[in-house]
Amino acid sequence: PIAAGPELLRMALSDDTAQLPDVALFMPADVISGTSEDAVRAGIMVGFAEGCMGIIRRITDQLDGETTVVFSGGWGRYLANETGPESIYRPNNLLDGLVKLLEMNG
């Protein structure tokens, strides 16, 4: 699956709406909030995490077996923390894989 990440969602909400504020991206302490900034932030960050968890659940169901979820990239650490202890965060997963390929192919 390909989906929009938090930064794209943030830009769309701040650039393409007249009155929604631009916000810093981090997981808010509470989903229910008293400010527009916190409400936008919660919508972006909680929505992103829950969307990813839903995609992972559907993939796991489709594979019909045990799976290991490995996160990498810019939001990988955040997602691994949000999805539970069975998730793995590897910040350099792509580079590590390329090194292994080079080692295997001399």
Side-chain angles (χ1 to χ4, degrees):
I2 298 173
E7 188 63 30
L8 180 59
L9 295 171
R10 183 195 62 77
M11 288 187 317
L13 287 173
S14 66
D15 295 350
D16 296 337
T17 59
Q19 297 189 11
L20 290 179
D22 194 10
V23 298
L25 296 177
F26 57 87
M27 182 56 88
D30 297 308
V31 176
I32 298 172
S33 62
T35 67
S36 295
E37 289 84 2
D38 287 341
V40 169
R41 182 177 299 111
I44 292 170
M45 298 307 291
V46 174
F48 174 63
E50 293 295 322
C52 289
M53 290 167 52
I55 290 170
I56 291 166
R57 181 185 44 78
R58 287 174 180 251
I59 289 171
T60 302
D61 290 349
Q62 189 173 342
L63 292 174
D64 196 33
E66 250 185 71
T67 57
T68 301
V69 178
V70 179
F71 291 102
S72 187
W75 290 99
R77 180 185 314 268
Y78 165 78
L79 288 171
N81 287 337
E82 288 299 312
T83 56
E86 63 280 351
S87 299
I88 298 170
Y89 172 63
R90 287 191 153 152
N92 300 312
N93 199 44
L94 177 63
L95 294 175
D96 293 343
L98 290 174
V99 167
K100 286 193 187 281
L101 281 173
L102 287 171
E103 289 172 350
M104 289 171 48
N105 293 302

